[in-house]
Structure formats: structure tokens, C-alpha cells
Amino acid sequence: MAYQMHSFETASLLAAALADRVAAALSAAIAARGDATLAVSGGSTPKAFFEALSSRAIDWPKVKVTLVDERFVPEDNPRSNHLLVKTHLLKGAAAMAQFVPLYRPEATIEDAAITASGIVPGMTGPFDVVILGMGTDGHTASFFPGGDHLTAALDLTLPRRVMTMEAPGAGEARLTLSFSALQDAGLLVIHIEGAEKKSVLEKATAGTDEAEMPIRAVLERAATTPEIYWAP
Ligand SMILES: O=C(O)[C@H](O)[C@@H](O)[C@H](O)[C@H](O)COP(=O)(O)O
């Protein structure tokens, strides 16, 4: 398992350092290409990081932001990751970023996945920055143990795409970017906090079964060496 570990004394120190790191990566992409792409995860962990990043001096109108995954609910639903990002990241200067949601009110979630695959950034080439979280079951993105499309999601012979996922631990049906769309990001971060998740990470690094702990695919097979940002 190859990864780079960054440990911080507090969550707020981590948030500031990760915001600086991501801001530098996005600004470098803008300087090189004229634009930048960022995919972020939802859940509860990233809030302080989002708040810190929202205040960084980046040429935000040139940044395309999307989600690593989304619960299949409208953006006014409290479970929506779009709502989370709109509340904590897309404000202040960052409100000028170009946000592309995964959820759309199509007839079926499969239709929504097809539509999203045609318009979200990162479908024709690597993201500049991907921020992943991890659940205590070892899932990341919506790559959940027992997921109905988990094998395909982790299959690097399949194209970059948005796909559907249903799993016992996922709650709502999910839309998720495929591993092929995430694993070659310029900067690939796993952001986790707390003692429990550190021990989950240690369990993940002690084994190889990706179906049991899908985070192992990122730790073992990503083209980009993942950088783990952890605070107690
Ligand atoms: O939609 C989601 O829930 C996320 O994208 C998911 O993959 C998240 O990163 C982990 O579940 C960790 O969530 P917490 O930060 O809430 O522990």
C-alpha cells in the first residue's frame, strides 16, 4: 500500500493546510491551462475544509467543481451533498466557481447517471484535485461493500463515468464517479478524521480484499499516490 501520510494536531490545522494545498494545485492548473477541475466528497468531515477553501484567493470563475458522489435526492434535501457544498464551499469568492451537480431530476437514476456522464468535469481527462472521504466500513465515494455495481465501479478497464450504486450501508440510491475517473487526479487526497477512522485505515492497509474494504482500491491501484490528511 503506497500513500503519503499528513497528520495534524487539530482538525482546524488540517483544514487550513489542505485548503492551502488545494488552492495551490488549482491555481497551478489555471496558470498552466486556463482552468482547473475539482471533485469533492460529501459527508460531515469536509465542512471545515470547505469553509477554509472558500476563502482562498483563487481565480474561482475558472474552477469547475463537481461531486465525487451524491445521494439521489434534490438539492433542497438535507441529505444532499450539493446542499452541503453550496452551504460550506460555494460562498464568498468561491461562489463564482462553476459547479456541476450529479443529481438531476430525470425519470430514473440511470438516466441521471447518463446525463451527468456527459457534462461533469473529469470525464475526458484527469481531475486536477480529488478529495475523498472514507466511511468506517472502508467505503469511499459511493464504493460501498456489497454495492450492486461495486465490481464495475472499481474496474479500471471501464471508462471514466458517472454510475449508480445501491448498497446496504448507503441509505439512498447513489450517483458516483467511477474509480477510473478519480484515480489519476493530479492531487488525490483521502481526508479522514478521528481515532476510529485511523484504525479503519490501518485495517485497510493490512488486507487486500477490495470488496470487503473498497478504499483498498485507492490505496493499492490508484495511478496517483494518495495523500492522506488526518487529524484526531
Ligand atoms: O456521500 C457521502 O457520504 C460521501 O461522499 C462519502 O463517501 C463520505 O466521504 C464518507 O461516507 C465519509 O463520510 P463522513 O465524513 O460523514 O464520515
Side-chain angles (χ1 to χ4, degrees):
M1 301 272 178
Y3 61 86
Q4 205 176 340
M5 190 75 177
H6 305 273
S7 299
F8 296 84
E9 283 186 16
T10 66
S12 57
L13 286 172
L14 182 158
L18 184 53
D20 289 343
R21 183 78 190 280
V22 169
L26 296 174
S27 296
I30 291 166
R33 289 198 328 265
D35 69 3
T37 55
L38 166 66
V40 295
S41 289
S44 57
T45 302
K47 286 176 187 169
F49 158 62
F50 287 162
E51 294 284 344
L53 183 60
S54 71
S55 67
R56 291 305 186 267
I58 304 171
D59 194 350
W60 283 107
K62 294 177 179 171
V63 181
K64 297 184 181 82
V65 182
T66 194
L67 288 160
V68 163
D69 64 336
E70 178 64 283
R71 300 86 183 268
F72 193 61
V73 294
E75 70 178 84
D76 59 357
N77 183 305
R79 290 275 297 162
S80 165
N81 286 337
H82 181 174
L83 179 62
L84 178 85
V85 169
K86 198 163 71 169
T87 306
H88 297 286
L89 175 56
L90 303 177
K91 59 183 188 180
M96 298 298 288
Q98 304 168 50
F99 180 71
V100 184
L102 298 188
Y103 173 85
R104 42 210 71 239
E106 307 259 1
T108 66
I109 188 171
E110 289 75 15
D111 290 345
I114 291 166
T115 302
S117 296
I119 54 176
V120 302
M123 295 295 103
T124 55
F127 281 99
D128 294 300
V129 179
V130 164
I131 308 290
L132 297 173
M134 184 187 73
T136 53
D137 60 357
H139 84 262
T140 190
S142 285
F143 311 151
F144 286 86
D148 57 349
H149 297 136
L150 180 62
T151 303
L154 299 181
D155 183 345
L156 287 179
T157 67
L158 296 176
R160 320 166 85 88
R161 67 203 184 282
V162 178
M163 57 189 293
T164 67
M165 188 72 70
E166 293 198 43
E172 306 81 0
R174 300 287 188 107
L175 290 165
T176 186
L177 271 64
S178 59
F179 181 42
S180 53
L182 299 168
Q183 58 96 31
D184 56 0
L187 172 61
L188 179 60
V189 171
I190 301 172
H191 174 196
I192 56 175
E193 294 179 4
E196 185 181 12
K197 288 198 179 173
K198 191 165 188 190
S199 60
V200 170
L201 177 68
E202 285 158 4
K203 181 183 173 192
T205 57
T208 56
D209 182 352
E210 295 179 3
E212 180 197 20
M213 298 185 82
I215 190 74
R216 288 171 171 155
V218 180
L219 296 167
E220 191 64 37
R221 293 190 289 126
T224 300
T225 300
E227 301 201 27
I228 296 173
Y229 277 68
W230 176 82

